[in-house]
Amino acid sequence: MSESPNRPGPTAKQWAVLLALMIVSSAILIAIFLVIDWFPVAGSNVSDEIDTFWDVLLIVSIPIFVIVTGVLLFSVWRWRQRPGEEELDGPPIHGNAKLEVIWTAIPTVIIAALCAYAAVLLLDIEAAPAKGTRVVNVTGVQFAWSFETNEGDRKIKANRLVVPVDEPVQFKVRSRDVIHDFWVPAWRLKVDAVPGITTSYSLTPTKTGTFDIVCAELCGLGHAYMRQTVTVLPKAKYAAWVAGQGKPAAPAGGGESAGLSAKELFVAGNPSVGATACGTCHVLNAAGTKGATGPNLNEMIPKSDSKAAIREMIVNPNAEITKGYAQGIMPANYGQVLSAKEIDELVNYIYDDVQGKG
Ligand code: HEC
Ligand SMILES: [Cu+2]
């Protein structure tokens, strides 16, 4: 078989055009990508550093993409098969040592530099928190987060995360069941909640407002619903919130019965035993809750249902699934973590409201 002609590479003029095109398109692409608003508001002291890192990655990667694509397209055009060459074999080429050294060395330098930058950034973000930093214990359970913090002699437990602005916080993250991941996109950091160990990160919220908390690790059927919010308050408002929370920590040995009323349980649950608030997922008029993950209890429970039937739905949620909803979303642990009395009271509370006697 005969060979096709060995066509030389680009002429000086082609090089010039190619280079100009690459520079212009890199500049345009970088401009477009930097203008795009990739992230939610920057709400913590580390958000800006992380966003800058992202910008640097874009600025470095776009020219590489353009060079690779440019060389590829030029080669397809320059060394395409011409009419009459269908039967010819390509010219024998034995590689190009100089080229290979260059295309190995340059990426090595780029990757090493980016890794060094990332490592410095990571060390900075993961620096140990100063002594006395406020600690918030975060516990993940299918499919909700609960939070606990000490303010002086008060132990504050809540299904809501509230923190003051401009004060460092360390989050100690745990899980009661499977792996979850505690992520507040506005703060940029996330960490897995792994059963059996405590993971953590620290940051300083820098913006007041309400931001999403998202579970970032597929953790079961209700994973998509494992969303809550964090409220960052000005210091004075935070102090007022703390003052309005519960009573001083119960003396040790207080046991499981926190003596919560049915309404308290429905609205706020009992994070210390792992009981997720019913109201996160259910509408109940008496409780004034608006959760939409599970059925509206006022509308879905027939008036003919007995207390025993309602009790069964709470203790054994997967025995019978309400039409239109998936199994495995409603926590199945209430029978274990609530006392019989607490469940009785919850049943009466729901029953009365459904009957219109609430
Ligand atoms: C994470 C969300 C979630 C939480 C928290 C939750 N539920 Fe549910 N619940 C559901 C879903 C989803 C269903 C429908 C599927 C099923 O039947 O298991 C449901 C079904 C029910 C039903 C049956 C309703 C009907 O259609 O007849 C009752 C009653 C109920 N829940 C009560 C409660 C009570 C009381 C609590 C708190 C102690 C609670 N739920 C907590 C999600 C939740
Ligand atoms: Cu989760």
Side-chain angles (χ1 to χ4, degrees):
M1 196 181 278
S2 48
E3 280 168 22
S4 60
N6 190 358
R7 297 195 181 87
T11 60
K13 200 173 142 223
Q14 284 169 341
W15 267 122
V17 173
L18 201 56
L19 213 63
L21 276 176
M22 285 178 181
I23 292 173
V24 171
S25 35
S26 293
I28 294 176
L29 283 176
I30 289 176
I32 293 175
F33 277 67
L34 288 184
V35 163
I36 294 176
D37 214 0
W38 295 97
F39 299 115
V41 310
S44 84
N45 63 321
V46 297
S47 306
D48 285 341
E49 294 174 74
I50 290 172
D51 296 1
T52 305
F53 184 50
W54 171 254
D55 289 344
V56 170
L57 288 181
L58 280 179
I59 293 169
V60 174
S61 348
I62 287 173
I64 295 175
F65 171 79
V66 168
I67 291 170
V68 170
T69 313
V71 168
L72 183 75
L73 291 179
F74 179 84
S75 305
V76 166
W77 171 76
R78 182 75 186 87
W79 289 285
R80 70 192 184 281
Q81 176 186 278
R82 314 287 155 96
E85 293 179 354
E86 291 85 352
E87 301 295 315
L88 302 183
D89 201 359
I93 294 173
H94 299 283
N96 185 329
K98 199 166 123 199
L99 203 57
E100 284 170 28
V101 168
I102 293 176
W103 81 40
T104 305
I106 294 180
T108 304
V109 171
I110 294 175
I111 299 285
L114 290 177
C115 285
Y117 179 5
V120 169
L121 185 58
L122 190 67
L123 286 176
D124 182 42
I125 289 171
E126 292 191 334
K131 240 192 147 132
T133 298
R134 170 179 286 104
V135 172
V136 175
N137 289 301
V138 178
T139 304
V141 59
Q142 288 172 319
F143 298 99
W145 298 104
S146 60
F147 309 94
E148 197 193 281
T149 186
N150 287 320
E151 287 295 341
D153 60 345
R154 284 159 198 268
K155 183 165 269 209
I156 299 179
K157 292 174 176 170
N159 279 305
R160 234 180 110 199
L161 178 56
V162 180
V163 289
V165 73
D166 292 333
E167 283 183 23
V169 204
Q170 182 185 25
F171 296 97
K172 292 196 171 164
V173 182
R174 298 176 181 86
S175 167
R176 279 179 188 274
D177 40 38
V178 300
I179 301 178
H180 302 275
D181 191 295
F182 179 63
W183 182 32
V184 178
W187 291 345
R188 305 292 188 268
L189 299 190
K190 60 190 172 83
V191 70
D192 273 7
V194 182
I197 65 171
T198 302
T199 53
S200 79
Y201 61 72
S202 312
L203 49 72
T204 305
T206 52
K207 272 214 165 64
T208 55
T210 299
F211 309 102
D212 290 330
I213 299 173
V214 181
C215 177
E217 179 66 54
L218 183 57
C219 57
L221 269 181
H223 168 66
Y225 302 113
M226 198 164 163
R227 285 173 165 253
Q228 273 149 267
T229 52
V230 48
T231 305
V232 181
L233 294 177
K235 281 169 204 180
K237 281 199 178 159
Y238 179 74
W241 179 80
V242 168
Q245 286 299 302
K247 322 105 205 168
E256 58 150 303
S257 180
L260 294 177
S261 72
K263 182 169 183 179
E264 280 175 308
L265 271 178
F266 202 96
V267 174
N270 186 355
S272 60
V273 300
T276 309
C278 319
T280 329
C281 300
H282 291 291
V283 169
L284 185 71
N285 295 343
T289 55
K290 304 257 179 289
T293 303
N296 176 322
L297 297 183
N298 293 96
E299 284 174 8
M300 294 299 287
I301 301 182
K303 283 201 173 187
S304 56
D305 265 11
S306 65
K307 290 187 180 177
I310 296 177
R311 188 190 178 90
E312 180 64 13
M313 294 176 206
I314 299 173
V315 178
N316 253 328
N318 292 325
E320 212 179 299
I321 302 303
T322 310
K323 209 167 165 245
Y325 293 88
Q327 183 180 345
I329 295 175
M330 172 149 163
N333 66 346
Y334 292 117
Q336 288 88 58
V337 300
L338 300 182
S339 65
K341 183 167 158 274
E342 283 173 321
I343 294 181
D344 284 343
E345 285 176 6
L346 258 180
V347 170
N348 289 337
Y349 178 63
I350 295 170
Y351 181 83
D352 287 349
D353 197 48
V354 169
Q355 298 292 321
K357 294 187 254 172

